[in-house]
Amino acid sequence: MSDDLAETLGLDAAGDAGGDAGGDAGGRRERRGRSGGGGRDARRAARGRPSTLYTPFITRNVGTFDVLSQEGLEIIEANAETILEEIGIEFRDDSESLDMWRAAGADVDGERVHIPRGLARELIKTAPASFTQHARNPERSVEIGGGNTVFAPVYGPPFVSDIDGGRRYATIEDFQNFVKLAYSHQGMHHSGGTVCEPVDLPVNKRHFDMVYAHIKYSDKPFMGSVTHPERALDTLEMARIVFGSEFLETNTVLVSLINANSPMTWDATMLGALKNYARANQAVITTPFILAGAMSPVTVAGTLAQTLAEAMAGMAFAQLCRPGAPVIFGSFASSISMQSGAPTFGTPEPALVLYGCAQLARRLNVPFRSGGSLCGAKVPDAQAAFESANTLLPTVLGGVNFVLHAAGWLEGGLVSSYEKFMMDADQCAMMRTMLEGVDLTENGQAMDAIREVGPGAHFLGCSHTQANFEKAFYRSSIADNSTYEQWESEGSRDTYQRSAALVKKTLAEYEAPVLDPAVDEALIDFMAKKKASFPDSNV
């Protein structure tokens, strides 16, 4: 057996596990001490690194888990069409949107738009089934749609937390740190958008610094500002500085989150941002934001029908802005406690909504966004872990293409947690192995190993194991699988503490990707001139 494999298994080079666990602990600690800074320590450090190579996105080789039959899908679709036609969707405070719907054949009554059966679905046919979101580093561009999965960080919290500083309002430094973490971790394919809300900057100007952070500190794809139509235009201008105006006209470099004001309402702020992005050929995620029981019916089928109607209205409107503009069918559905009214996460009903919406999106032939690592826990504890797992597994099994809130979400989305970011990103990296499915190559079949070992022996020393052991199984950067004695000798650290150490290590070792100095200078100049052109405001 090789020294590398023996050390991995906690054996000596001869393959002997030694005495009992307690009695041999001191001897193992002594051997570790004698190894000093040489090969064994280097091998242990290497094993702490990810066991899989980075890929810009995940391409699934396994099927999806479906919860609705053909009949069930047709029922939900028919109910959604009834909502669009009979009840209607409000497009508030935006006369241009109403005129566009009227010209498309909808019945507009005040701000209520009644969309004839089949019209929204017909309009959506011009949207692409999948599209490339280009990163400034082409090797990190992502394909959104089809059998692909893209993980993006948490979005929107005003607070951050870490093991040293506790819970506090987020700053632009925190924002930059989360961008650096997402850039550095193989489990994240995307830089995200509002990874936290930097409340130390004026509301009407902070979007400049946020978009700049994504460009400066990462070369993964990122999201645009949507809090005001003008801020969407600022994002587009900054993207043009990075990518060039001509490239932007025919390629997608931004994905932006456009939330419906559920139930059945689109407001002027979101519509203004949607129009600006769609007309520039940039992708929008039209997402009903639903706490079932408050913003939709308490039933899964009712929530599915309302979600489909709202999302279809948004996607169809994007096609009225520019036929062929990329869209993503979004769904964010959580339940609430019927006793307290507080949102709950990791429960079965939202998972069923996710599975159902994923099927409905595939029937529309558009990419789908949902899921993540959601929880209501206040710290990264057992509740955070099981609620997040109960969201992440349906996300990957259901076939979600763009996963927002994949890492860092805490306290129902109020907090971006540094430590939970590392825990979640580790799990996201592991999902790649599951979605890649079963390796049926000659090496994967391992018949040579079975022939070599034969009955009654073990596979630890066979040639196949020697050749594959370093990459054979996903190796977590967070979990501790050492002996109790080794764990104790290294400080008895729990997952929270190990994650905190990894955060600090990652930020300390971070190196920014190369950014053309001329582009950087142009961005800084643009931001300075724009900021100077209007006063600070917190609205």
Side-chain angles (χ1 to χ4, degrees):
M1 186 183 301
S2 73
D3 286 349
D4 281 358
L5 179 54
E7 174 70 8
T8 296
L9 298 170
L11 310 175
D12 61 27
D16 183 6
D20 66 86
D24 196 42
R28 275 178 282 165
R29 285 195 291 271
E30 182 182 350
R31 290 195 292 272
R32 287 195 300 271
R34 286 199 301 267
S35 68
R40 181 168 293 186
D41 281 355
R43 290 193 295 271
R44 288 184 62 196
R47 287 193 297 276
R49 293 193 291 269
S51 56
T52 56
L53 297 175
Y54 172 79
T55 55
F57 55 91
I58 299 171
T59 299
R60 69 186 303 125
N61 294 315
V62 297
T64 57
F65 182 79
D66 298 335
V67 298
L68 290 172
S69 65
Q70 178 72 20
E71 180 185 9
L73 290 165
E74 291 173 356
I75 289 172
I76 299 301
E77 290 170 341
N79 289 345
E81 294 285 359
T82 298
I83 293 170
L84 291 173
E85 183 175 52
E86 294 183 14
I87 301 168
I89 306 291
E90 290 202 357
F91 285 71
R92 289 185 179 171
D93 302 318
D94 192 323
S95 59
E96 181 187 26
S97 299
L98 299 174
D99 290 341
M100 292 166 67
W101 274 116
R102 192 178 290 109
D107 177 19
V108 179
D109 181 11
E111 294 184 321
R112 186 78 61 92
V113 177
H114 298 269
I115 304 172
R117 300 185 87 86
L119 175 58
R121 186 172 293 268
E122 187 64 28
L123 290 170
I124 293 168
K125 287 181 179 179
T126 60
S130 65
F131 63 91
T132 301
Q133 184 187 359
H134 295 271
R136 68 178 183 88
N137 177 355
E139 294 182 358
R140 298 187 185 274
S141 298
V142 295
E143 187 73 16
I144 299 176
N148 305 312
T149 296
V150 173
F151 287 122
V154 62
Y155 187 110
F159 299 100
V160 297
S161 70
D162 63 37
I163 200 168
D164 296 321
R167 184 183 189 269
R168 61 190 186 280
Y169 278 109
T171 66
I172 189 60
E173 182 180 1
D174 292 308
F175 190 99
Q176 293 164 354
N177 284 341
F178 278 106
V179 171
K180 293 174 183 178
L181 291 176
Y183 168 71
S184 302
H185 204 291
Q186 63 160 349
M188 291 292 101
H189 310 117
H190 204 278
S191 193
T194 308
V195 290
C196 61
E197 193 72 49
V199 299
D200 56 333
L201 300 178
V203 168
N204 66 334
K205 295 182 180 179
R206 64 179 63 154
H207 64 286
F208 293 111
D209 300 86
M210 295 158 73
V211 172
Y212 178 71
H214 284 300
I215 296 168
K216 176 72 172 180
Y217 300 111
S218 176
D219 61 5
K220 293 181 179 180
F222 62 95
M223 301 176 73
S225 177
V226 297
T227 52
H228 191 282
E230 288 295 322
R231 295 166 199 166
L233 292 176
D234 290 333
T235 304
L236 286 165
E237 190 56 38
M238 293 176 75
R240 290 187 181 100
I241 292 171
V242 175
F243 293 93
S245 297
E246 185 176 343
F247 187 86
L248 209 71
E249 179 62 27
T250 55
N251 295 277
T252 298
V253 304
L254 296 165
V255 166
S256 299
L257 179 62
I258 308 295
N259 281 336
N261 191 357
S262 301
M264 294 165 284
T265 301
W266 289 94
D267 63 42
T269 297
M270 291 288 101
L271 290 172
L274 183 156
K275 287 187 286 188
N276 286 335
Y277 284 123
R279 286 167 175 164
N281 196 44
Q282 303 308 298
V284 293
I285 312 170
T286 60
T287 302
F289 185 95
I290 288 175
L291 299 179
M295 300 153 74
S296 77
V298 295
T299 63
V300 170
T303 299
L304 280 170
Q306 182 183 315
T307 299
L308 179 59
E310 292 175 4
M312 285 177 65
M315 289 186 286
F317 181 68
Q319 300 310 296
L320 292 180
C321 295
R322 177 168 172 162
V327 297
I328 301 174
F329 178 158
S331 168
F332 183 98
S334 177
S335 52
I336 64 170
S337 166
M338 300 308 292
Q339 287 70 46
S340 69
T344 55
F345 301 92
T347 53
E349 295 84 4
L352 291 171
V353 172
L354 184 157
Y355 284 124
C357 281
Q359 289 181 260
L360 294 164
R362 286 191 285 274
R363 285 164 67 87
L364 280 169
N365 201 30
V366 293
F368 179 56
R369 170 257 159 159
S370 192
S373 299
L374 311 182
C375 68
K378 312 306 180 286
V379 294
D381 58 6
Q383 178 185 343
F386 67 67
E387 289 181 352
S388 293
N390 286 347
T391 309
L392 184 60
L393 283 173
T395 298
V396 296
L397 294 177
V400 177
N401 301 118
F402 188 80
V403 185
L404 205 53
H405 312 308
W409 170 290
L410 202 63
E411 200 183 326
L414 289 175
V415 172
S416 293
S417 163
Y418 280 90
E419 291 80 15
K420 188 165 183 291
F421 184 98
M422 302 308 283
M423 298 177 198
D424 292 338
D426 178 73
Q427 294 299 292
C428 289
M430 183 168 64
M431 292 301 106
R432 173 189 162 192
T433 300
M434 186 169 75
L435 291 178
E436 285 180 341
V438 179
D439 176 10
L440 292 176
T441 64
E442 185 175 344
N443 183 69
Q445 294 176 54
M447 290 303 298
D448 288 346
I450 296 171
R451 291 188 181 99
E452 178 184 340
V453 173
H458 65 70
F459 287 82
L460 294 176
C462 79
S463 301
H464 186 271
T465 302
Q466 294 289 321
N468 288 277
F469 82 93
E470 288 187 310
K471 302 295 182 183
F473 307 114
Y474 179 80
R475 184 168 56 249
S476 171
S477 60
I478 299 293
D480 186 293
N481 295 299
S482 63
T483 64
Y484 180 87
E485 292 76 20
Q486 182 176 335
W487 170 76
E488 186 178 42
S489 73
E490 293 174 352
S492 307
R493 296 184 304 171
D494 61 19
T495 304
Y496 192 13
Q497 294 166 319
R498 290 193 299 274
S499 298
L502 187 56
V503 168
K504 293 172 183 176
K505 181 176 185 290
T506 302
L507 291 176
E509 295 177 353
Y510 164 83
E511 294 182 7
V514 175
L515 178 62
D516 184 336
V519 170
D520 196 13
E521 183 178 352
L523 287 168
I524 293 171
D525 183 62
F526 169 77
M527 292 189 295
K529 289 179 179 177
K530 286 287 292 188
K531 287 181 179 181
S533 68
F534 54 91
D536 293 355
S537 171
N538 280 321
V539 293

PDB file of all heavy atoms in Angstrom, residues 345-357:
ATOM      1  N   PHE A 345     -39.163  27.252   6.454  1.00  0.00           N
ATOM      2  CA  PHE A 345     -38.345  26.754   5.350  1.00  0.00           C
ATOM      3  C   PHE A 345     -38.013  25.279   5.569  1.00  0.00           C
ATOM      4  O   PHE A 345     -38.028  24.782   6.700  1.00  0.00           O
ATOM      5  CB  PHE A 345     -37.057  27.570   5.229  1.00  0.00           C
ATOM      6  CG  PHE A 345     -37.304  29.031   5.001  1.00  0.00           C
ATOM      7  CD1 PHE A 345     -37.377  29.916   6.066  1.00  0.00           C
ATOM      8  CD2 PHE A 345     -37.496  29.521   3.714  1.00  0.00           C
ATOM      9  CE1 PHE A 345     -37.630  31.262   5.867  1.00  0.00           C
ATOM     10  CE2 PHE A 345     -37.753  30.866   3.496  1.00  0.00           C
ATOM     11  CZ  PHE A 345     -37.818  31.734   4.577  1.00  0.00           C
ATOM     12  N   GLY A 346     -37.707  24.613   4.468  1.00  0.00           N
ATOM     13  CA  GLY A 346     -37.347  23.207   4.549  1.00  0.00           C
ATOM     14  C   GLY A 346     -38.516  22.295   4.804  1.00  0.00           C
ATOM     15  O   GLY A 346     -38.330  21.134   5.198  1.00  0.00           O
ATOM     16  N   THR A 347     -39.734  22.771   4.559  1.00  0.00           N
ATOM     17  CA  THR A 347     -40.932  21.965   4.774  1.00  0.00           C
ATOM     18  C   THR A 347     -41.382  21.329   3.451  1.00  0.00           C
ATOM     19  O   THR A 347     -40.957  21.749   2.372  1.00  0.00           O
ATOM     20  CB  THR A 347     -42.057  22.828   5.366  1.00  0.00           C
ATOM     21  OG1 THR A 347     -42.237  23.982   4.540  1.00  0.00           O
ATOM     22  CG2 THR A 347     -41.705  23.285   6.782  1.00  0.00           C
ATOM     23  N   PRO A 348     -42.242  20.321   3.504  1.00  0.00           N
ATOM     24  CA  PRO A 348     -42.568  19.559   2.280  1.00  0.00           C
ATOM     25  C   PRO A 348     -43.308  20.361   1.214  1.00  0.00           C
ATOM     26  O   PRO A 348     -43.073  20.167   0.015  1.00  0.00           O
ATOM     27  CB  PRO A 348     -43.436  18.407   2.797  1.00  0.00           C
ATOM     28  CG  PRO A 348     -43.150  18.309   4.251  1.00  0.00           C
ATOM     29  CD  PRO A 348     -42.820  19.690   4.704  1.00  0.00           C
ATOM     30  N   GLU A 349     -44.219  21.247   1.628  1.00  0.00           N
ATOM     31  CA  GLU A 349     -45.078  21.908   0.644  1.00  0.00           C
ATOM     32  C   GLU A 349     -44.296  22.784  -0.346  1.00  0.00           C
ATOM     33  O   GLU A 349     -44.523  22.694  -1.567  1.00  0.00           O
ATOM     34  CB  GLU A 349     -46.165  22.717   1.364  1.00  0.00           C
ATOM     35  CG  GLU A 349     -47.149  21.879   2.170  1.00  0.00           C
ATOM     36  CD  GLU A 349     -46.633  21.535   3.560  1.00  0.00           C
ATOM     37  OE1 GLU A 349     -45.539  22.025   3.919  1.00  0.00           O
ATOM     38  OE2 GLU A 349     -47.322  20.788   4.290  1.00  0.00           O
ATOM     39  N   PRO A 350     -43.368  23.636   0.113  1.00  0.00           N
ATOM     40  CA  PRO A 350     -42.571  24.397  -0.860  1.00  0.00           C
ATOM     41  C   PRO A 350     -41.744  23.512  -1.789  1.00  0.00           C
ATOM     42  O   PRO A 350     -41.521  23.879  -2.949  1.00  0.00           O
ATOM     43  CB  PRO A 350     -41.674  25.273   0.028  1.00  0.00           C
ATOM     44  CG  PRO A 350     -42.434  25.414   1.298  1.00  0.00           C
ATOM     45  CD  PRO A 350     -43.118  24.096   1.492  1.00  0.00           C
ATOM     46  N   ALA A 351     -41.306  22.370  -1.281  1.00  0.00           N
ATOM     47  CA  ALA A 351     -40.568  21.443  -2.148  1.00  0.00           C
ATOM     48  C   ALA A 351     -41.468  20.922  -3.259  1.00  0.00           C
ATOM     49  O   ALA A 351     -41.046  20.810  -4.423  1.00  0.00           O
ATOM     50  CB  ALA A 351     -40.001  20.286  -1.332  1.00  0.00           C
ATOM     51  N   LEU A 352     -42.724  20.630  -2.928  1.00  0.00           N
ATOM     52  CA  LEU A 352     -43.663  20.174  -3.957  1.00  0.00           C
ATOM     53  C   LEU A 352     -43.937  21.271  -4.976  1.00  0.00           C
ATOM     54  O   LEU A 352     -44.066  20.999  -6.175  1.00  0.00           O
ATOM     55  CB  LEU A 352     -44.964  19.708  -3.298  1.00  0.00           C
ATOM     56  CG  LEU A 352     -44.879  18.431  -2.464  1.00  0.00           C
ATOM     57  CD1 LEU A 352     -46.174  18.207  -1.682  1.00  0.00           C
ATOM     58  CD2 LEU A 352     -44.586  17.225  -3.362  1.00  0.00           C
ATOM     59  N   VAL A 353     -44.026  22.525  -4.500  1.00  0.00           N
ATOM     60  CA  VAL A 353     -44.199  23.647  -5.433  1.00  0.00           C
ATOM     61  C   VAL A 353     -42.999  23.743  -6.366  1.00  0.00           C
ATOM     62  O   VAL A 353     -43.137  23.935  -7.579  1.00  0.00           O
ATOM     63  CB  VAL A 353     -44.406  24.969  -4.667  1.00  0.00           C
ATOM     64  CG1 VAL A 353     -44.393  26.160  -5.624  1.00  0.00           C
ATOM     65  CG2 VAL A 353     -45.724  24.942  -3.896  1.00  0.00           C
ATOM     66  N   LEU A 354     -41.786  23.603  -5.802  1.00  0.00           N
ATOM     67  CA  LEU A 354     -40.572  23.650  -6.619  1.00  0.00           C
ATOM     68  C   LEU A 354     -40.594  22.566  -7.693  1.00  0.00           C
ATOM     69  O   LEU A 354     -40.362  22.845  -8.882  1.00  0.00           O
ATOM     70  CB  LEU A 354     -39.346  23.502  -5.716  1.00  0.00           C
ATOM     71  CG  LEU A 354     -37.959  23.623  -6.342  1.00  0.00           C
ATOM     72  CD1 LEU A 354     -36.932  24.014  -5.281  1.00  0.00           C
ATOM     73  CD2 LEU A 354     -37.505  22.338  -7.021  1.00  0.00           C
ATOM     74  N   TYR A 355     -40.853  21.334  -7.295  1.00  0.00           N
ATOM     75  CA  TYR A 355     -40.891  20.227  -8.263  1.00  0.00           C
ATOM     76  C   TYR A 355     -41.928  20.493  -9.356  1.00  0.00           C
ATOM     77  O   TYR A 355     -41.666  20.281 -10.545  1.00  0.00           O
ATOM     78  CB  TYR A 355     -41.239  18.919  -7.555  1.00  0.00           C
ATOM     79  CG  TYR A 355     -40.132  18.284  -6.756  1.00  0.00           C
ATOM     80  CD1 TYR A 355     -40.303  17.991  -5.409  1.00  0.00           C
ATOM     81  CD2 TYR A 355     -38.922  17.936  -7.346  1.00  0.00           C
ATOM     82  CE1 TYR A 355     -39.301  17.380  -4.661  1.00  0.00           C
ATOM     83  CE2 TYR A 355     -37.910  17.324  -6.606  1.00  0.00           C
ATOM     84  CZ  TYR A 355     -38.101  17.056  -5.270  1.00  0.00           C
ATOM     85  OH  TYR A 355     -37.104  16.449  -4.541  1.00  0.00           O
ATOM     86  N   GLY A 356     -43.107  20.957  -8.939  1.00  0.00           N
ATOM     87  CA  GLY A 356     -44.164  21.203  -9.915  1.00  0.00           C
ATOM     88  C   GLY A 356     -43.828  22.328 -10.871  1.00  0.00           C
ATOM     89  O   GLY A 356     -44.024  22.221 -12.089  1.00  0.00           O
ATOM     90  N   CYS A 357     -43.276  23.426 -10.340  1.00  0.00           N
ATOM     91  CA  CYS A 357     -42.906  24.555 -11.205  1.00  0.00           C
ATOM     92  C   CYS A 357     -41.801  24.160 -12.180  1.00  0.00           C
ATOM     93  O   CYS A 357     -41.777  24.635 -13.325  1.00  0.00           O
ATOM     94  CB  CYS A 357     -42.472  25.743 -10.363  1.00  0.00           C
ATOM     95  SG  CYS A 357     -43.830  26.687  -9.643  1.00  0.00           S
TER      96      CYS A 357
END
